[in-house]
Each structure stands twice: as C-alpha cells, then as structure tokens.
Amino acid sequence: MKSKPVSATIPEIPEVPVNLSPSDWNNKRLFSLLGPLVAEQVLIVLVGIVDMVMVSSIGEHAVSGVSLVDTINFLIITAFNAIATGGSVVISQYIGRKDPKSACCSARQLIYIGVFISIILMILTVIMRGTILRAIYGNIAEDVHQAAQIYFLFIALSYPFLALYTSASAMFRSMGNSAVTMRVAVLLNILNVAANALFIFGMKLGVAGAGLSTFLCRIIVGFLLIYLLVRDKTRTVNLAGITKVKLEGAMIKRILNIGLPSGLESSMFQVGKILIARIFTAFGTIAIAANAVSGTINSIAFMPGSGFGIGLLIIVGQCIGAGDYLAAKKYTKKLMLFAYITYIFININIMIFMNPIVDMFNLSREAHDLCVIFLRIHCVTSTLFWCPSFVLPNALKAAGDANYVMIVAACTMWIVRVCSAFVLAFPLGLGPVAVSIAMGADFLFRGVFFAKRWLSNKWIEKKVI
C-alpha cells in the first residue's frame, strides 16, 4: 500500500493576502511586549511568596487553610483567564486584520461576559463555601477548616473585580501595550504587601487580614484599568459606550468558541489538581504545608513562561488575523526558545539555593525535607517538558485550535496525572511524592501531543473571525 505524499497530510501554509501586510514584530517591539509581560508575572509570584511568608507567621494551620482555598481559587481564576483568552484571540485577530471597530465591539462583549459569570460564581461561593471545602477535602483539621472558610469569603467577594482586571488586562496586551498592565501589577503588589502588613501584623486580623487585603486591592486595580480604557477613546481598543449595554450574539460566540474550550481545559486541570490535593490531606498538615510552599516556589519558574505564553497568544493571533502564517511559525519558534532559556536559568538557581529559599517559610523540619524532595523532582521534569506543555498550546489557541488543546489537556490530566498519582501514592506506597512524579509524566505527554499538532500545520485550517 502506497503512503500518502507529505503534501496530502500536512496542510500548506497559504500566502499572505495582498490586502494585508505581514505582521512585523521586530526585536524592539517584541521585547517591549514580552519584557513587561514576564516582569508582571514574576512580580505576581514574588508577592505570592511574600504573602505566604506573612501567612506562615500565623501558623501551619493558616498556611494549609489558605493553600486549600487557593487551589480552589485557581479554578475560578482560570475560568476568568479562559474567557479573557477567548477575547484576546478575537481582539488580536481583528487588530491584525486592521479592523478596530470590531476589536472594540469584542472588547465590550468580553466585559459583559466576565462580569455576568463572576457575579454568579461569587454568590454560589459565598453561600456554599463551607460545603465546598468539606466536599473536596473531606475531614480536614478544624483549625485548618476555619481558616479556609474565613479566607474563602473575602476571595469570593472579589471575583467581579478580578473579572474586570483580567478582561481589561487582556485588552491592553492584545494591543501590544503590556507596559500598562505591568505598572498596574506593580501597584497591585505594593498595595497587597502593605495591606497584608497592616491587617496581619498591625491589626492582628490573621487569615481574615490576608483575605481582606486581596479583596480591596482587586477592587482598586479592576476599576483603574476599566477607567483607562473608557477615558481614552483614541486607543485601538477602548471601552467607549460600555454603559450602553448591547449584546452582540455573533461576537460573543466567537469569544466563547475559544473561551469555553479553554475554560473547560483549565477547569478540568484545576479539578484534577484539587482531587490530587486530597492525597496531601490524607498524609496530614505536614504534607499540605510542604506542597503549598513547593507550589509557591515552583511558580517562580512558571511565571516567566506564562508571560511568554501570553505574548505568543497575542503575536500569533495578530499574525493569523493578517493572514501571515509564516510569521506565526517564526515567532512561535522564537518565543519557545526564549521560554526554554529562561526556564533553565531559573530552575538551576532554585536547585542551587533550594534550602535557603525553603527556610524562609518557617516550616517544621519534616515539612521542610518533604518540600525539598518535591522541588528536586519538579525542577528536573519541568525543565525538560513544561514549555511545550504550557507555552506552545497558546499558539494553537491563537489559531482557533482550542478544542484540540482541551481534549489533550483533559486526557493527560486525568489519565496520566490523576490516575497515576493515586496508584503511586496508595497501592504502590510512594506517599505524597507520587504527585510530583505524576506531574512530570503529565508534562511529558502533553508536550509530545502539542508539538506534534503544531508541526502538522493542521491549526492552519481553523478559523476564528
């Protein structure tokens, strides 16, 4: 039986339409986008570490309670980020097509969707937060449960403002103006640290102080970004006329065609992480605290890569909007290289300075040693496989191939990470260390499938606008 020729299985890259100029992201423009994006993500992580250090002064029950809520909270945040991703892809492609009117229309629809979803989630979470904690984590220690409930209340109340912040940030980034979101992130982080110091140490509010700080800071930065987009009507993307609510069904559908698969992908991923968190609860507060600290430190390496992923979403989106698929491939290779270099550099430094970094969190000796084991496994596996697993799929989403990303991510999360973690932890007796091993295997399988998809050029056949 004769094999098919390569041209029959791998779609050819179409030429750039004559009425649209190719996207030209020269190095200066590229770094003006990526620099602030990476800096913003690093700032978010560093302040997260400072927050965790401050909370750790209250006790291991507080660290454990906050980490359990944050695991659930990441599920909510990813839902907002997914909708913002859908909006960002649509807006970026319209900008690449040089259609600012449609870009502004999609921006307004993004705000309406985000606010509506966030209010529903806020109401449900405030009412059912205790039930949610018990249903997910089972019979955790009472002091941990109380700390988690208090913190969860304030975090839930901040959801609408988080939705505004996330959506507005996506709009600025789609315009290539990541400097604005970076400056607002700096403001957010300064306010958050100051408020934490005031509420936790000054007013002795404990876990409630950490939650109140996050709530107030999200209100301030959410409204600030919306104000900037409403005030300046000369921006390529602005929110002029946002108060005259007019829903555009076709535009909402375009956003959700990317946002819903991204949301399902991220949500299933976070649900899987929540289920895996039950492994740590089964092994007690020491395992929970060690996981919380190792996760916080790991995020140092994740965040620059996340910045490159956001940049990839915007750049590839604009290239495809302009019909320039060769440029989309070129910049994908370039940003993947940047991501790998950054990730290797950070993980090498984590390995070298691991013990002093973990010492900052006031863990018991048992929790400290377990945390170090988690970090060593993660540094090796993530250095090899994380970038194709979590940076590259942004290029596929920018092309409209979000369904493929969702299917692969869901399958590897549940089949590889969740199942193998439970099998390794309990029947095979590896304990909580099993989670780190299963996570590395998940990175490997995700990366293989996404790289194969990108090289196949099948994403070229997808349409968003």
Side-chain angles (χ1 to χ4, degrees):
M1 183 175 179
K2 294 182 179 180
S3 60
K4 294 181 180 180
V6 174
S7 59
T9 57
I10 301 179
E12 294 183 0
I13 298 176
E15 295 182 1
V16 183
V18 295
N19 60 323
L20 292 172
S21 60
S23 300
D24 181 20
W25 283 86
N26 56 40
N27 286 336
K28 181 179 179 180
R29 189 181 173 203
L30 196 62
F31 284 106
S32 70
L33 172 69
L34 297 177
L37 279 176
V38 172
E40 179 184 344
Q41 299 301 311
V42 172
L43 279 170
I44 291 171
V45 172
L46 290 177
V47 172
I49 293 174
V50 172
D51 284 351
M52 190 64 74
V53 171
M54 289 181 171
V55 171
S56 69
S57 67
I58 306 170
E60 283 192 358
H61 74 284
V63 174
S64 300
V66 169
S67 70
L68 293 180
V69 172
D70 280 345
T71 302
I72 301 172
N73 194 42
F74 286 142
L75 176 62
I76 306 299
I77 291 174
T78 53
F80 297 148
N81 285 340
I83 299 300
T85 296
S88 185
V89 169
V90 174
I91 293 168
S92 296
Q93 290 206 14
Y94 277 124
I95 291 173
R97 185 174 284 188
K98 304 186 186 305
D99 185 356
K101 183 178 179 181
S102 295
C104 291
C105 177
S106 58
R108 291 192 296 272
Q109 304 308 306
L110 176 59
I111 292 294
Y112 300 148
I113 296 169
V115 170
F116 176 74
I117 293 174
S118 66
I119 291 174
I120 292 176
L121 288 173
M122 177 191 70
I123 294 171
L124 291 175
T125 305
V126 168
I127 295 173
M128 301 179 63
R129 66 188 190 281
T131 304
I132 293 171
L133 289 168
R134 289 293 187 196
I136 294 173
Y137 298 114
N139 295 320
I140 54 178
E142 187 58 32
D143 56 348
V144 174
H145 180 76
Q146 289 299 322
Q149 273 223 74
I150 294 168
Y151 183 69
F152 208 175
L153 173 63
F154 288 101
I155 296 302
L157 292 173
S158 73
Y159 288 159
F161 310 103
L162 176 62
L164 291 177
Y165 173 72
T166 304
S167 299
S169 295
M171 295 171 203
F172 277 107
R173 292 166 185 157
S174 296
M175 291 184 279
N177 193 351
S178 56
V180 170
T181 58
M182 183 195 69
R183 288 194 289 266
V184 172
V186 170
L187 174 63
L188 169 62
N189 294 333
I190 292 172
L191 290 174
N192 200 31
V193 171
N196 270 338
L198 172 64
F199 296 140
I200 295 175
F201 301 123
M203 301 178 66
K204 308 294 183 183
L205 294 180
V207 174
L212 181 60
S213 170
T214 300
F215 172 61
L216 294 176
C217 291
R218 285 178 176 175
I219 292 175
I220 293 170
V221 297
F223 278 124
L224 175 60
L225 282 178
I226 294 297
Y227 169 74
L228 293 175
L229 288 166
V230 171
R231 183 191 65 177
D232 190 350
K233 299 179 182 179
T234 63
R235 296 185 191 276
T236 304
V237 179
N238 61 74
L239 292 175
I242 186 69
T243 55
K244 299 176 182 178
V245 179
K246 183 180 179 183
L247 300 179
E248 300 285 349
M251 196 66 75
I252 291 174
K253 183 178 178 181
R254 293 187 186 101
I255 294 172
L256 294 181
N257 280 341
I258 303 296
L260 284 180
S262 298
L264 287 172
E265 169 215 338
S266 301
S267 297
M268 286 187 284
F269 183 79
Q270 292 301 327
V271 169
K273 287 180 67 176
I274 291 171
L275 288 178
I276 288 176
R278 293 200 67 144
I279 293 176
F280 298 109
T281 62
F283 290 95
T285 303
I286 289 174
I288 297 173
N291 178 61
V293 172
S294 66
T296 301
I297 297 172
N298 287 336
S299 60
I300 297 173
F302 286 157
M303 288 302 104
S306 297
F308 288 121
I310 295 169
L312 198 58
L313 191 78
I314 295 160
I315 294 168
V316 172
Q318 289 194 13
C319 290
I320 290 175
D324 194 345
Y325 292 90
L326 282 174
K329 298 203 77 169
K330 168 188 171 183
Y331 293 119
T332 297
K333 291 178 184 177
K334 198 168 189 176
L335 266 66
M336 284 294 292
L337 177 61
F338 292 161
Y340 254 114
I341 292 171
T342 306
Y343 209 96
I344 292 169
F345 173 78
I346 293 173
N347 270 345
I348 288 174
N349 280 278
I350 290 176
M351 289 289 285
I352 293 172
F353 301 106
M354 187 177 295
N355 281 299
I357 294 172
V358 176
D359 285 339
M360 294 190 302
F361 293 90
N362 299 316
L363 295 175
S364 64
R365 175 47 54 186
E366 294 83 357
H368 177 284
D369 292 343
L370 189 57
C371 180
V372 167
I373 294 173
F374 292 160
L375 287 171
R376 284 174 179 165
I377 296 172
H378 184 269
C379 281
V380 174
T381 57
S382 63
T383 298
L384 295 172
F385 310 124
W386 191 86
C387 290
S389 299
F390 290 93
V391 179
L392 183 58
N394 284 284
L396 295 173
K397 292 178 185 178
D401 205 6
N403 285 328
Y404 179 84
V405 174
M406 176 191 70
I407 293 169
V408 168
C411 289
T412 59
M413 180 65 188
W414 288 90
I415 297 173
V416 179
R417 187 182 297 201
V418 174
C419 293
S420 64
F422 276 92
V423 170
L424 291 171
F426 298 111
L428 297 182
L430 293 183
V433 176
V435 175
S436 295
I437 297 172
M439 188 185 303
D442 179 30
F443 294 164
L444 169 62
F445 281 92
R446 285 173 61 107
V448 168
F449 279 102
F450 291 144
K452 184 178 179 182
R453 182 70 167 188
W454 181 256
L455 293 173
S456 75
N457 288 342
K458 290 182 180 178
W459 49 273
I460 293 173
E461 301 170 349
K462 305 297 178 180
K463 299 295 179 185
V464 176
I465 61 174

